[in-house]
Amino acid sequence: MNTPKGPGGWRGFLIHLAVILLGALLFAASFPNLLTVNGISFLGWIAFVPVFWVIHRVSLPASVFFGALYGYTAYGLFNYWLSVFHPLAGLIVGSIYLFYFAVLFPLLKLASILFPRKGYILQWLLWIVYEYLRTQGFLGYPYGIAGYSQWQVLPVIQIAGIFGVWGVSALVVFPSAYLAAALKDRPVRAFLNREWAAGLVWVIALTAALIYGFVSPVDYSDAPKARFALIQHNTDPWRGDMKDYRENYEILKRLSLEALASDPKPDLVVWSETAFVPRIYWHTVYRDDRQSWDLVKELITFLETQDVPYVIGNDDGRLEMMPNGSWDRVDYNAVMLFEEGRIAQVYRKQHLVPFTEYFPYEKQLPLVYKALKEADTHFWKEGEEATVFEARGVKFSSPICFEDIFGYLSRDFVRNGAEIIVNLSNDAWSKSVPAQMQHLSMAVFRAVENRRSMVRSTASGQTCAVDPNGRVIAMAEPFTQAWLNVEVPVIKTETPYTRWGDLWAKLFTAAALIMLILGIGRGIMKRGRNR
C-alpha cells in the first residue's frame, strides 16, 4: 500500500484510510441522514475531495482496495436502512458498490496517469459516467447520485429541465476533482495559475445555471388546478393477514371520507402502493377465496357510492398462458382508476425492484432464485405500457414507488400526454424518515425535468405535493395516519429534457471514452518513441 509520494508505509496507509472514511462520511451527510433529515446540500460540492486526493497519492493496485473500502462504507452509511428490510439487503447493496468502486477507482487513477496535468477533467467525466451507467439494467439504482444532494437548492436544480440530474451532478462534482488536483500540487498556486481556465469555465457555468434557476421557474398562478386527496394509512400493507387487511381498508375508507368532507372537495382520492391487498380484479372474476372476495365486494360496494374517482394501488392478478402452454395466475404491481365502482384503467409497474420484486436469472442462477423464493419474495411481472389515466378532465400517470427515481419513466409518461405525475409508494418497511426523504429528494427532480406537478400518496411518508419548479408545497407528517388535500397546477409545456431525455449523460459518456482512448493512444506512442 506504499504510495509513490507523501508519507509511506503504515503511516501513509493510515492517513489514506482516514481520509477515505472522511469521504464516505461527507457523501452520506450530503443526503438525508439520521442527523439531518434533509441532508447538508453544501457538503455535496466538496464530498469527493478526499476521494480524488487519495487516488492521486496511491498506486494503481492500491486504488482497488481503497475503492472497495469507500464503496462499501459510503453506501453502508448512506443506505443504512436497507438492513431493516432484510439483513442481507444491506450486505448485497454494499457488496455491489464495493465492486463498482473497486473498478472506478483504478479508472480514476489511470486518468491521472495518462494526463498528469489535465487528469482531473477525465476524472470528473468518469464520475458522471459512473453515475449514469449504474442507473441502467437489472441493478439500476439511482440512490447517491451527486446532483440529488441539491434537491432543496431550487435555483441550482432548475437546469434539470434541460440536462436532467446529470447537469446538476456535473456542476457539483467538478469542484471536488479540481480542488483535489490543486492540493496534490506544491505549491497550490502553481496549479491555479496553470489551470485557471477550467476553473473559470466552471464559475461561468455555475453562474449561468443560477441565473437560469432564478428566471426559469414557471408562473402557474393562472394555470388550471386539480385537487387530490392523498391518503396515508401508516401501515405496511403486506404485513399481517386478512384481519390486518380489513383493518387497513377501514382506515383507508375513514381517512378518505374525512378528506372528502373537507372544503373544497377533491377531484380524486389516491391510495398508496398496494394499499388494498386482496386482488380486486382476480377475486371479482374467480372468487376462489371467500374471505378475500368478501373484502373486495365491500370495497366495490363502497366505491359505487362515491361520486369522485379513486386511484388505488393493488396486486393485479390475471390468468395468462405460461411458456409450457399451461395457464396460471400472473401478478402485476398495479395502479387502478375506479369510477363508480368499476375499474376504468390500469397501469402495471414497468421497472421492478431487483431481487425483491423480480429476478430474471432463474435458469442462470437457480440457487439464488430458490433462496429468494424461500425467503417469501413476491415476484411480479413487468408491465409494458406507460399508461396515461384521464379523470375529471385531468390526464395523469402513476409511477409506482421505485419508479419515480428514474427520469426516463416520468419522461415517457409526459411524452404520452400526462399533465400530472401521481406517485404511489410504500416505504413503510424502512421505518426511517431519512430513507423516505432520500426517496423524495429524487422524486422532486421528475417535476423539474418535465415541468409537471407531482403528488405522492405513500403508506407512511413522504405524502406530499411538489410544484412544477420542484418546491414541496405540502406534506403530511410521516408515520401518522393522515390525509392531505392538495391543489396543484396543470401544466402542459414541454421541456428540453422531455424532448431529449438523458442525451447529456450519453454525451458525457462519449466524451470520457474519447478522452480515455486518446490518453491510452498517446501513452502507447510515447512508450514506442522511448524504446
Side-chain angles (χ1 to χ4, degrees):
M1 297 292 174
N2 291 355
T3 58
K5 37 185 166 174
W10 281 105
R11 182 169 176 267
F13 171 74
L14 292 175
I15 289 173
H16 298 146
L17 185 68
V19 172
I20 279 294
L21 294 178
L22 172 64
L25 282 170
L26 291 174
F27 169 80
S30 302
F31 301 92
N33 58 77
L34 281 169
L35 298 179
T36 56
V37 294
N38 292 327
I40 306 173
S41 297
F42 167 76
L43 293 180
W45 300 86
I46 58 170
F48 307 113
V49 171
V51 168
F52 292 119
W53 184 82
V54 167
I55 287 169
H56 283 303
R57 290 172 60 89
V58 302
S59 66
L60 188 62
S63 69
V64 177
F65 168 79
F66 285 106
L69 176 66
Y70 176 81
Y72 194 86
T73 306
Y75 274 81
L77 293 170
F78 172 51
N79 283 165
Y80 70 91
W81 41 266
L82 281 171
S83 296
V84 176
F85 177 73
H86 192 283
L88 284 177
L91 179 63
I92 290 172
V93 170
S95 298
I96 289 171
Y97 282 87
L98 178 153
F99 172 76
Y100 283 174
F101 281 97
V103 174
L104 177 62
F105 271 43
L107 285 174
L108 297 173
K109 180 63 182 180
L110 183 61
S112 69
I113 294 172
L114 294 175
F115 299 95
R117 291 193 169 189
K118 303 288 186 182
Y120 67 92
I121 296 176
L122 180 54
Q123 289 177 331
W124 165 66
L125 288 171
L126 286 171
W127 197 279
I128 307 305
V129 172
Y130 147 74
E131 291 194 337
Y132 171 62
L133 292 181
R134 70 180 180 83
T135 67
Q136 307 300 301
F138 169 66
L139 293 175
Y141 189 68
Y143 279 79
I145 288 175
Y148 288 137
S149 67
Q150 306 304 303
W151 71 284
Q152 286 194 306
V153 189
L154 298 185
V156 170
I157 71 172
Q158 298 309 307
I159 61 171
I162 302 174
F163 306 104
V165 68
W166 319 113
V168 183
S169 275
L171 281 180
V172 170
V173 173
F174 184 83
S176 288
Y178 188 79
L179 290 173
L183 290 172
K184 80 177 176 65
D185 277 9
R186 293 291 185 272
V188 171
R189 190 184 318 119
F191 173 88
L192 298 177
N193 288 339
R194 187 182 74 242
E195 300 298 328
W196 64 268
L200 179 61
V201 169
W202 176 79
V203 170
I204 293 171
L206 178 60
T207 303
L210 290 172
I211 292 172
Y212 180 80
F214 282 110
V215 303
S216 66
V218 178
D219 179 5
Y220 50 77
S221 55
D222 295 327
K225 304 295 194 297
R227 296 189 300 274
F228 293 85
L230 310 174
I231 310 303
Q232 179 177 290
H233 58 302
N234 193 35
T235 58
D236 186 347
W238 285 98
R239 299 293 181 186
D241 52 21
M242 189 58 63
K243 177 177 176 292
D244 298 294
Y245 303 158
R246 178 174 290 279
E247 289 179 0
N248 288 346
Y249 164 65
E250 294 297 338
I251 294 170
L252 288 160
K253 183 171 71 171
R254 172 177 58 80
L255 294 172
S256 299
L257 293 175
E258 290 176 6
L260 288 168
S262 65
D263 185 35
K265 187 175 180 179
D267 299 316
L268 293 99
V269 178
V270 187
W271 293 1
S272 62
E273 178 190 18
T274 58
F276 188 87
V277 175
R279 301 171 181 87
I280 299 169
Y281 175 84
W282 179 267
H283 291 299
T284 301
V285 174
Y286 300 104
R287 305 184 187 183
D288 57 353
D289 179 86
R290 179 57 184 269
Q291 284 187 311
S292 295
W293 163 238
D294 285 346
L295 189 53
V296 167
K297 184 166 60 175
E298 283 188 40
L299 170 67
I300 293 173
T301 300
F302 166 68
L303 293 175
E304 286 174 343
T305 68
Q306 300 298 292
D307 60 356
V308 299
Y310 275 65
V311 179
I312 296 177
N314 187 237
D315 180 335
D316 187 26
R318 302 281 171 151
L319 194 65
E320 294 185 6
M321 182 177 287
M322 301 294 103
N324 62 8
S326 64
W327 290 82
D328 201 355
R329 191 191 74 219
V330 171
D331 292 331
Y332 295 92
N333 191 342
V335 174
M336 297 177 177
L337 172 64
F338 283 86
E339 295 182 320
E340 298 177 348
R342 65 178 182 83
I343 300 174
Q345 287 178 273
V346 177
Y347 166 67
R348 293 162 180 156
K349 190 173 185 178
Q350 300 174 87
H351 196 129
L352 300 170
V353 182
F355 297 107
T356 62
E357 291 188 337
Y358 85 126
F359 185 74
Y361 304 112
E362 178 181 1
K363 294 181 180 178
Q364 296 87 343
L365 299 168
L367 293 179
V368 175
Y369 183 84
K370 181 182 178 183
L372 292 171
K373 292 294 288 185
E374 288 177 350
D376 200 28
T377 303
H378 189 100
F379 287 142
W380 309 90
K381 184 175 179 179
E382 290 177 306
E384 298 178 352
E385 183 181 356
T387 304
V388 176
F389 296 99
E390 185 167 5
R392 296 289 178 91
V394 177
K395 295 180 180 179
F396 64 93
S397 289
S398 295
I400 301 174
C401 200
F402 189 64
E403 291 189 314
D404 71 353
I405 66 177
F406 292 94
Y408 83 92
L409 275 166
S410 291
R411 172 180 177 258
D412 287 348
F413 289 132
V414 172
R415 286 173 65 86
N416 279 0
E419 298 165 351
I420 294 177
I421 300 169
V422 180
N423 172 253
L424 279 64
S425 285
N426 170 24
D427 291 327
W429 55 268
S430 71
K431 300 179 175 62
S432 166
V433 172
Q436 296 178 167
M437 292 298 288
Q438 288 177 13
H439 189 168
L440 172 62
S441 68
M442 293 178 280
V444 299
F445 276 74
R446 309 296 83 86
V448 178
E449 286 167 350
N450 301 285
R451 289 298 182 206
R452 291 295 187 271
S453 298
M454 167 182 276
V455 297
R456 304 180 79 238
S457 180
T458 73
S460 60
Q462 301 318 95
T463 296
C464 65
V466 183
D467 76 7
N469 300 318
R471 178 178 283 104
V472 178
I473 56 177
M475 185 184 296
E477 185 72 22
F479 293 105
T480 62
Q481 292 181 14
W483 53 266
L484 184 67
N485 279 1
V486 295
E487 184 177 74
V488 295
V490 180
I491 304 294
K492 302 180 182 181
T493 57
E494 185 180 62
T495 66
Y497 179 82
T498 306
R499 289 196 298 272
W500 304 333
D502 294 325
L503 171 64
W504 285 94
K506 295 170 185 175
L507 291 176
F508 279 121
T509 303
L513 185 60
I514 290 170
M515 194 170 176
L516 197 58
I517 291 172
L518 289 175
I520 293 172
R522 189 178 69 170
I524 293 173
M525 291 175 63
K526 184 177 180 181
R527 186 173 298 177
R529 285 196 301 268
N530 292 336
R531 283 181 178 177

